[in-house]
Each structure stands twice: as C-alpha cells, then as structure tokens.
Amino acid sequence: MFKVVVNDEEQYSIWHADRPNPPGWHDEGFTGGRDECVAHVDEVWTDMRPRSLREALAEQG
C-alpha cells in the first residue's frame, strides 16, 4: 500500500503507507496501490514547477 505525499513547494511523490513521511512532506490524502497512486499524481500534478517559481513568475507579469 502506498500514499501520495506533497511538500511545501507542491511537489508530489508516492511513499509507503506504513512508513513515516520523509521530513518536509505531508499526506495529500490519497492511498492505494503503487499504480493507482502514480496515476493520481499524474492527474493532479499538472504544473511541475515548484510553487515558489510559479509565484515569482506571476509577480513578474
């Protein structure tokens, strides 16, 4: 069983559901098999740029 985790930069990954999250990552709310979690990440992570970069570019113009 896996879970989807996300960090403060809104970058996604999958992690073993029975293990503590790596530092800086928190549960996104989706759990399932590996392929299901990868498919979920593919669906929700549509802009792979870190949040800080997206915000900086938005401020520029």
Side-chain angles (χ1 to χ4, degrees):
M1 210 45 151
F2 289 84
K3 61 184 173 182
V4 176
V5 294
V6 62
N7 66 17
D8 291 339
E9 287 288 336
E10 297 177 356
Q11 297 169 307
Y12 289 78
S13 187
I14 64 170
W15 197 250
H16 289 275
D18 61 345
R19 295 185 186 167
N21 292 347
W25 295 79
H26 57 273
D27 292 348
E28 185 265 355
F30 187 91
T31 58
R34 184 184 187 286
D35 291 342
E36 294 169 305
C37 288
V38 169
H40 178 74
V41 169
D42 286 343
E43 183 179 322
V44 299
W45 194 13
T46 58
D47 188 343
M48 298 186 83
R49 298 174 298 169
R51 184 186 68 185
S52 58
L53 175 61
R54 292 191 316 264
E55 290 173 355
L57 292 173
E59 288 176 7
Q60 291 178 2

